[in-house]
Amino acid sequence: MKIGILGAGSMGAALGKLWAALGHEVCFGVRQPVGEKTAKRLSALGSSVRTGSLEAAAQFGDAVLIAVPWEATEKVVRSLAGHLVGKVLIDCTNPISPDLSGLIIGHSTSAAEEIARWAPQANVVKCFNTVGAGGLHDARYGDHSAAVFVCGDDEAANKMVTHLAEGIGFEVIDAGPLAEARYIEPLALLWIHLAMRGKYGSKIAVKLLRR
Ligand SMILES: NC(=O)c1ccc[n+]([C@@H]2O[C@H](COP(=O)([O-])OP(=O)(O)OC[C@H]3O[C@@H](n4cnc5c(N)ncnc54)[C@H](OP(=O)(O)O)[C@@H]3O)[C@@H](O)[C@H]2O)c1
């Protein structure tokens, strides 16, 4: 699959590296495609990934991951909306304040729904926002696989993201339509507080048990 990744920070780089290792074609979209910082960062991701502008990555991917800070998300998505028509737009963002204390939006909307408003012809799918970037490379916890939640309004798009998440070892919880992101995003804030402000550390993951 061709995957464009907007942002080569902690989340973008970790997911891009894993998908490239599975044989997917990955193109990172960054603000400064040329330069020492980008070259250094991307050399660590393997020779098979390519780098270009944000526009180039949006054009490249059949699926496009948005992995920039929340405060940059609206500008990036709106500016690329024309390149995202008919594409699967994977949203791993969390609309949190820069000091991680709380959600900036929630209850009656979500980051995922706002992104769908800014790119109305993309098929937005929420996923990966409840997993720490440092834990993406190994979803196994003893006998269990950590869970990620997938929600979105297009069944084929949800299936594509499910395939990408299962490919890197996660159990996928089908959370239903995109509006369920209103409840998945607060869960990520709980993860952040437990991992970074509480006593549990950043190697924790979410699991859904049932019988
Ligand atoms: N880190 C985690 O464990 C984690 C887990 C779940 C979800 N998330 C969510 O994932 C998203 C990305 O988080 P992250 O930790 O990967 O962030 P990060 O490490 O700070 O990386 C952010 C990336 O976005 C780029 N960027 C920043 N501002 C931009 C702008 N105005 N226009 C274009 N690109 C811009 C940065 O580029 P430069 O290098 O050029 O600055 C960088 O490549 C966030 O919404 C976060 O809430 C993070």
Side-chain angles (χ1 to χ4, degrees):
M1 191 186 304
K2 285 181 155 186
I3 305 171
I5 298 188
L6 308 174
S10 305
M11 284 301 278
L15 285 167
K17 189 174 178 181
L18 290 165
W19 286 330
L22 289 175
H24 296 294
E25 290 181 71
V26 173
C27 177
F28 284 97
V30 294
R31 285 187 282 192
Q32 292 171 315
V34 181
E36 203 179 313
K37 181 181 163 192
T38 304
K40 197 169 161 195
R41 191 193 282 166
L42 295 168
S43 67
L45 301 179
S47 54
S48 64
V49 303
R50 58 191 94 182
T51 315
S53 62
L54 292 157
E55 289 79 9
Q59 276 168 357
F60 176 84
D62 300 317
V64 177
L65 172 74
I66 172 93
V68 300
W70 175 245
E71 53 274 22
T73 302
E74 178 171 2
K75 192 172 167 209
V76 170
V77 172
R78 279 192 192 277
S79 70
L80 299 175
H83 300 301
L84 296 169
V85 176
K87 300 203 176 190
V88 176
L89 181 56
I90 309 169
D91 165 33
C92 74
T93 69
N94 282 311
I96 46 174
S97 54
D99 68 356
L100 310 180
S101 62
L103 290 170
I104 292 168
I105 58 166
H107 300 295
S108 56
T109 187
S110 60
E113 290 164 277
E114 294 304 300
I115 288 170
R117 248 179 2 98
W118 301 330
Q121 290 175 281
N123 295 313
V124 178
V125 179
K126 188 92 204 174
C127 192
F128 304 113
N129 67 309
T130 57
V131 189
L136 285 165
H137 67 284
D138 185 5
R140 291 300 291 175
Y141 283 74
D143 294 337
H144 299 285
S145 296
V148 288
F149 299 86
V150 163
C151 70
D153 294 332
D154 182 274
E155 203 179 321
N158 292 354
K159 267 195 189 148
M160 188 189 272
V161 178
T162 296
H163 173 70
L164 289 173
E166 288 178 345
I168 57 173
F170 287 94
E171 181 194 2
V172 171
I173 309 296
D174 176 0
L178 196 65
E180 291 301 306
R182 294 174 192 187
Y183 312 113
I184 300 171
E185 290 168 10
L187 179 60
L189 192 65
L190 175 65
W191 186 97
I192 290 167
H193 283 196
L194 294 175
M196 301 168 76
R197 297 181 152 201
K199 60 185 177 185
Y200 292 95
S202 60
K203 290 186 179 165
I204 56 174
V206 173
K207 180 78 186 167
L208 189 72
L209 300 175
R210 69 172 171 186
R211 62 179 159 211

